[in-house]
Amino acid sequence: MASFARRVGVSRQWLYRILNGEPASVAVLSTIVDSTGYSLDWLARGEGMPIGASAGRFEMISRLTARTDVHNEVTFSQAAAPPVIVPSEIFTELNIDAAKVGVLAAPDDGMSPTIWAMDDLLIDPSDRQPAEGEIFLVSKAGRLTIGRVFQVEGTWIFASEGPGNKPFGLFGGTTSENLTIAGRVHLIMNRRLTKRNR
């Protein structure tokens, strides 16, 4: 932090204030732009993509909201929040299409320590086919929850990793009487670290 503050010509305390939401002058932002190669529009208003050194290396992924209807079906819509910037190499490494995914805040359902409430989840709503050991967002009796899936004697079992949580089953396909798969979680992003879903 101290070296970056020196590089852009502001005090460390002022840099902390900027990072905590205090408006920065155009002069300070211009210095940051000159030092880093990022876009002034992106720094000042969060619009567009960071450019320069990062051009072509990041994807802007929309934040999503999810709703469950009376039939236990889940629909997603774009949230009125800034997109999340995800390195392009993640999509190559996971072999997923950036156009098909979104970022959803994790529901509070007891998947800690793997997933904490409000961690960001990179989710593919079009991928609803159970896969051994993977994490999925599901609607269980009208409530969104997360579970890791395992197959036992032809039955897909979803297990929450929190203490005291009981597994719940999914028989044969992608829906049961009170359970619907809403999408596969490809990446968990939290304040401590960013990790794959394994």
Side-chain angles (χ1 to χ4, degrees), residues 22-106:
E22 191 163 322
S25 69
V26 173
V28 169
L29 290 177
S30 294
T31 303
I32 293 172
V33 166
D34 291 342
S35 298
T36 63
Y38 289 120
S39 158
L40 182 59
D41 282 340
W42 183 72
L43 284 172
R45 294 183 286 283
E47 296 173 358
M49 280 285 285
I51 58 172
S54 63
R57 295 184 4 209
F58 295 93
E59 302 286 339
M60 293 186 70
I61 307 300
S62 296
R63 286 192 176 273
L64 302 175
T65 58
R67 293 185 186 208
T68 305
D69 66 17
V70 295
H71 303 292
N72 213 38
E73 290 298 319
V74 179
T75 56
F76 294 91
S77 58
Q78 192 168 335
V84 177
I85 298 173
V86 180
S88 298
E89 66 190 31
I90 294 289
F91 301 99
T92 304
E93 182 181 331
L94 297 176
N95 195 29
I96 56 176
D97 183 354
K100 292 184 177 181
V101 299
V103 174
L104 183 74

Side-chain angles (χ1 to χ4, degrees), residues 153-170:
E153 297 178 3
T155 300
W156 290 107
I157 303 294
F158 285 82
S160 180
E161 296 173 3
N165 291 330
K166 295 180 181 178
F168 46 99
L170 179 71

Side-chain angles (χ1 to χ4, degrees), residues 115-130:
I115 301 173
W116 298 89
M118 303 310 288
D119 279 351
D120 281 335
L121 306 176
L122 186 68
I123 185 167
D124 183 349
S126 69
D127 187 350
R128 297 180 177 207
Q129 185 61 42

Side-chain angles (χ1 to χ4, degrees), residues 68 107-111 121 135-147 158 160 168 179-180 182-183 185:
T68 305
D108 183 11
D109 77 334
M111 274 288 285
L121 306 176
I135 297 174
F136 287 83
L137 177 71
V138 296
S139 175
K140 178 184 169 193
R143 181 177 171 266
L144 289 175
T145 189
I146 305 169
F158 285 82
S160 180
F168 46 99
L179 188 70
T180 302
V185 175

Side-chain angles (χ1 to χ4, degrees), residues 12-23:
R12 189 175 57 191
Q13 293 79 11
W14 180 238
L15 186 57
Y16 278 115
R17 288 171 34 199
I18 292 170
L19 292 174
N20 285 323
E22 191 163 322

